[in-house]
């Protein structure tokens, strides 16, 4: 169970608030109070893409399973290689991939061989065909070749019993091929994480409903839907819950009973905090935190029943930034993934960036390579936390440290690309 010390009170809003948690502190507290979900399932490897491996994969075979040629050429015994001048050998047969030569290559002989074909008995070296003069069944070789060259040795990639993939690995397309190359049909993965989410706010309407004065469409449920789907979790979209004590309470109960984690947006800023706080206090163990980050400072985290609860701010950009910076690493941990650090790189910032010290800022940027092949980034423009278009235009976060006072045009900055290679 979580201790009550997780709780801090929401209070004043200045940038140097000593009661604020840094992003690292918030991540650490969350990291220490959650564990990976139980429950494994066996799936065919194609269905394992993006899933978390539950147990390590050990190679059942040697790879390559036989010593074979890396080139089209001639298989010879290295004793036949001349130290100087030239030497002739007679071609005694041909080895093709999948069609090995059954007999031994004797002294004074060689075998024609193709890439991937097993080395015939009596040979240990491949001479590439471009280095050979052929005349009928006789080849002439010179002293350019080295013993053992162009040979893929049995087990040089993997030996039987060697760990191929660690538990906690998120399966990539390359891994599927690797598993197939080992003849592995099924793997044990963790069951899918179930995540429930809903939006709170009397002003929110769903697509298809008419907007009355002062009302807006709920967008957070759609960005969360996208982010969670991309993460590969099972989702339970509970819609919009009005700012009504009883309905919120019911929604929390329902989410806690049906999901491993729940995410809400809205209702945790100072104006509404007391109300939601009261409900959460009654139902679970939840802390309300101010985090020294912009956007996305108010955040609540804790447990409702057995589910981990993440209360995100309502502003659309704040909700996304806190999701990616705080919630996604936690969900990855719950999914049992072992490699969950986002990649950061340096880029030259071509825009001047304004910032006040005391909070980490996750500004929205567009990164690209310039004509010299250097990584550059520019701002998406106005950085208001309600301007969702800034996230849509962006392909990276520009991460400005706690102490940073912004950046001059031309300065190097840290960026976090939105898209990994896989
Ligand atoms: P709150 O955190 O509830 O005070 O909301 C902060 C701001 O975000 C207000 O302008 C809300 O109208 C807006 N907001 C809250 N939830 C959503 C949502 N689901 N979709 C779009 N805007 C929202
Ligand atoms: Mg609200």
């Amino acid at each position: 169970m979580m201790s009550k010390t997780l709780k801090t009170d929401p209070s004043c809003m200045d940038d140097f608030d000593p009661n604020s948690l840094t992003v690292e502190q918030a991540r650490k507290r969350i990291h220490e109070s959650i564990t990976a979900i139980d429950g494994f399932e066996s799936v065919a490897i194609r269905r394992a893409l993006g899933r978390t491996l539950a147990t390590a994969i050990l190679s059942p075979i040697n790879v390559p399973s036989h010593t074979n040629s890396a080139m089209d050429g001639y298989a010879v015994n290295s004793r036949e290689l001349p130290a100087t001048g030239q030497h002739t050998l007679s071609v005694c047969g041909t080895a093709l991939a999948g069609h090995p030569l059954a007999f031994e290559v004797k002294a004074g002989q060689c075998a024609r061989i193709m890439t991937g074909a097993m080395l015939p008995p009596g040979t240990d070296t491949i001479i590439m065909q471009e280095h050979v003069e052929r005349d009928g069944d006789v080849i002439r070789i010179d002293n350019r070749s080295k013993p053992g060259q162009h040979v893929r040795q049995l087990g040089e990639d993997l030996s039987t019993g060697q760990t191929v993939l660690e538990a906690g690995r998120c399966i990539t397309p390359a891994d599927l091929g690797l598993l197939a190359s080992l003849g592995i049909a099924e793997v044990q993965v963790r069951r899918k994480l179930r995540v429930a989410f809903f939006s709170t706010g009397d002003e929110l309407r769903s697509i298809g409903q008419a907007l009355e004065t002062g009302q807006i469409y709920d967008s957070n449920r759609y960005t969360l839907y996208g982010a969670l789907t991309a993460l590969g979790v099972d989702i339970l979209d509970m819609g919009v819950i009005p700012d009504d004590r009883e309905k919120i309470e019911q929604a929390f109960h329902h989410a806690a009973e049906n999901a491993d984690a729940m995410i809400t947006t809205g209702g945790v800023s100072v104006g509404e905090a007391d109300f939601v706080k009261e409900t959460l206090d009654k139902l679970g163990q939840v802390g309300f935190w101010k985090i020294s980050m912009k956007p996305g400072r108010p955040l609540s985290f804790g447990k409702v029943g057995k589910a981990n609860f993440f209360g995100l701010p309502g502003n659309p950009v704040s909700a996304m930034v806190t999701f990616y910076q705080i919630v996604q690493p936690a969900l990855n941990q719950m999914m049992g993934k072992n490699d969950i650090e986002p990649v950061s790189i340096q880029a030259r910032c071509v825009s001047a960036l304004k910032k006040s010290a005391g909070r980490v800022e996750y500004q929205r940027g567009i990164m690209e390579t310039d004509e010299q092949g250097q990584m550059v980034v520019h701002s998406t423009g106005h950085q208001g936390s309600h301007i969702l278009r800034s996230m849509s235009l962006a392909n990276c976060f520009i991460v400005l440290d706690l102490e940073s006072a912004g950046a001059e045009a031309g300065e190097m900055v840290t960026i976090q690309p939105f898209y990994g290679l896989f």
Side-chain angles (χ1 to χ4, degrees):
M1 247 354 219
M2 178 156 319
S3 86
K4 290 271 180 186
T5 57
L6 274 178
K7 300 190 172 194
T8 59
D9 298 315
S11 59
C12 61
M13 299 290 279
D14 69 79
D15 281 347
F16 293 95
D17 191 333
N19 298 318
S20 276
L21 295 176
T22 63
V23 172
E24 287 70 33
Q25 285 168 332
R27 280 197 195 126
K28 186 161 179 279
R29 285 195 191 186
I30 294 172
H31 181 80
E32 284 166 358
S33 61
I34 64 180
T35 49
I37 50 165
D38 296 325
F40 299 157
E41 59 180 318
S42 232
V43 297
I45 58 170
R46 279 200 182 96
R47 288 192 49 226
L49 184 65
R51 303 288 297 272
T52 315
L53 257 191
T55 48
I57 303 289
L58 308 183
S59 181
I61 54 170
N62 286 309
V63 180
S65 56
H66 52 269
T67 299
N68 70 90
S69 178
M71 291 276 185
D72 291 344
Y74 294 86
V76 304
N77 191 302
S78 53
R79 283 194 307 264
E80 306 282 358
L81 299 176
T84 55
Q86 293 188 327
H87 182 54
T88 55
L89 295 167
S90 65
V91 181
C92 67
T94 301
L96 302 173
H99 300 282
L101 261 193
F103 52 86
E104 188 171 341
V105 174
K106 304 221 170 65
Q109 294 183 327
C110 68
R112 178 87 174 111
I113 195 164
M114 298 302 164
T115 305
M118 211 169 144
L119 259 71
T123 67
D124 60 10
T125 299
I126 304 298
I127 303 181
M128 57 199 281
Q129 61 193 22
E130 293 82 349
H131 290 178
V132 163
E133 278 171 43
R134 183 161 179 169
D135 186 6
D137 274 349
V138 172
I139 63 163
R140 194 187 307 278
I141 62 175
D142 57 28
N143 62 355
R144 273 180 289 182
S145 300
K146 293 197 179 60
Q149 75 179 8
H150 307 314
V151 174
R152 303 162 173 166
Q153 297 294 342
L154 171 119
E156 84 174 16
D157 187 2
L158 291 168
S159 48
T160 306
Q162 194 180 330
T163 301
V164 183
L165 297 171
E166 304 276 357
R169 166 97 183 171
C170 180
I171 306 280
T172 66
D175 296 343
L176 296 186
L178 188 57
L179 292 165
S181 76
L182 301 176
I184 295 173
E186 285 191 350
V187 290
Q188 284 258 307
V189 294
R190 281 194 196 259
R191 75 167 169 85
K192 279 198 173 184
L193 188 72
R194 274 182 76 70
V195 181
F197 59 95
F198 55 88
S199 300
T200 67
D202 282 344
E203 76 281 25
L204 302 177
R205 289 293 171 276
S206 294
I207 301 171
Q209 296 176 323
L211 291 186
E212 285 167 34
T213 315
Q215 296 181 337
I216 57 169
Y217 286 117
D218 171 14
S219 58
N220 289 345
R221 262 189 318 123
Y222 292 84
T223 47
L224 280 180
Y225 165 87
L228 290 167
T229 302
L231 198 58
V233 304
D234 274 341
I235 57 178
L236 176 61
D237 180 348
M238 294 174 55
V240 176
I241 311 293
D243 294 321
D244 171 294
R245 191 169 268 114
E246 233 164 70
K247 291 200 169 114
I248 292 232
E249 198 172 320
Q250 276 169 13
F252 278 123
H253 273 304
H254 184 76
E257 280 157 21
N258 291 285
D260 303 300
M262 68 170 96
I263 304 172
T264 64
T265 62
V268 292
S269 59
V270 175
E272 298 155 301
D274 285 344
F275 166 63
V276 178
K277 190 168 186 275
E278 195 184 292
T279 315
L280 285 168
D281 259 338
K282 190 170 146 197
L283 298 183
Q285 300 258 304
V286 175
F288 284 74
W289 298 347
K290 279 174 302 166
I291 303 186
S292 355
M293 66 187 281
K294 186 182 175 183
R297 183 147 63 166
L299 179 98
S300 55
F301 166 71
K303 290 215 163 35
V304 177
K306 286 200 194 110
N308 288 314
F309 167 79
F310 302 89
L312 308 186
N315 266 315
V317 180
S318 312
M320 288 195 82
V321 170
T322 43
F323 178 84
Y324 284 114
Q325 298 302 327
I326 309 278
V327 182
Q328 183 158 289
L331 297 181
N332 277 328
Q333 188 187 345
M334 292 183 76
M335 291 162 87
K337 288 192 204 168
N338 58 11
D339 185 15
I340 58 185
E341 280 299 304
V343 172
S344 290
I345 53 178
Q346 296 290 305
R348 190 166 306 285
C349 187
V350 296
S351 321
L353 304 176
K354 275 196 270 178
K355 173 185 181 289
S356 48
R359 296 198 255 171
V360 178
E361 283 197 17
Y362 297 92
Q363 300 200 5
R364 275 73 67 204
I366 300 167
M367 63 175 194
E368 60 195 357
T369 40
D370 68 7
E371 278 143 25
Q372 285 79 47
Q374 301 296 310
M375 186 64 79
V376 295
V377 64
H378 59 98
S379 171
T380 56
H382 190 24
Q383 296 288 308
S385 60
H386 57 295
I387 299 176
L388 190 51
R389 217 168 97 81
S390 73
M391 277 300 293
S392 172
L393 286 170
N395 61 10
C396 66
F397 286 123
I398 304 171
V399 185
L400 300 168
D401 286 354
L402 226 52
E403 306 81 35
S404 150
E408 307 281 347
E411 241 178 74
M412 295 303 283
V413 293
T414 300
I415 62 173
Q416 255 178 25
F418 286 173
Y419 309 107
L421 196 53
F422 293 126

